[in-house]
Amino acid sequence: MPLHVFGYGSLMWRPGFSFQTRQFATLRGRHRRLCVLSHVHRGTPARPGLVMGLDRGGACRGVLFEVGDGDRDDVVAYLRAREQVTFVYQERGVPVRCDDGSLVDALTYVVDRE
């Protein structure tokens, strides 16, 4: 079974991993927001900058990537290294609606409000 990854920020234009297909999709119940302070991607430890996160409520348009079985483990390891640097995101499986109307479970990273 292929892995699906939902990208809502820089993953949309710079995924950094191999994929078989790419299509637009919508995630309901989460919205894109500048709500994460980061010294890794913006700013410094003394003055962190804001980066995107998926927060509660609303809806978010993004890109759904389909990853082949042979690349699954490498892609998940890559995403964890990229998205979990400061542990401000939670890895989640979420249902996303593709533009063709199909519903797909996808891996994404949401804001950890704790």
Side-chain angles (χ1 to χ4, degrees):
M1 172 181 257
L3 169 70
H4 291 93
V5 177
F6 181 74
Y8 57 88
S10 63
L11 281 178
M12 291 191 301
W13 59 85
R14 191 176 44 86
F17 56 84
S18 296
F19 56 89
Q20 294 178 333
T21 64
R22 174 186 189 273
Q23 63 182 306
F24 292 104
T26 302
L27 170 60
R28 302 246 179 250
R30 299 276 178 175
H31 70 282
R32 181 186 297 109
R33 189 173 138 208
L34 287 168
C35 60
V36 175
L37 291 173
S38 175
H39 64 274
V40 176
H41 301 291
R42 296 225 189 325
T44 66
R47 285 190 63 139
L50 283 173
V51 297
M52 288 288 177
L54 278 179
D55 206 359
R56 294 182 284 202
C60 179
R61 289 281 291 161
V63 174
L64 181 70
F65 299 96
E66 182 180 335
V67 176
D69 284 337
D71 294 322
R72 174 189 283 273
D73 292 342
D74 289 341
V75 168
V76 170
Y78 167 78
L79 288 170
R80 287 176 178 162
R82 176 175 168 161
E83 302 297 326
Q84 302 278 37
V85 175
T86 58
F87 300 101
V88 297
Y89 298 112
Q90 296 175 339
E91 186 176 274
R92 292 281 171 87
V94 296
V96 296
R97 179 78 57 191
C98 301
D99 282 357
D100 68 5
S102 62
L103 191 64
V104 176
D105 286 324
L107 176 69
T108 198
Y109 293 85
V110 301
V111 171
D112 182 351
R113 291 179 139 248
E114 296 296 317

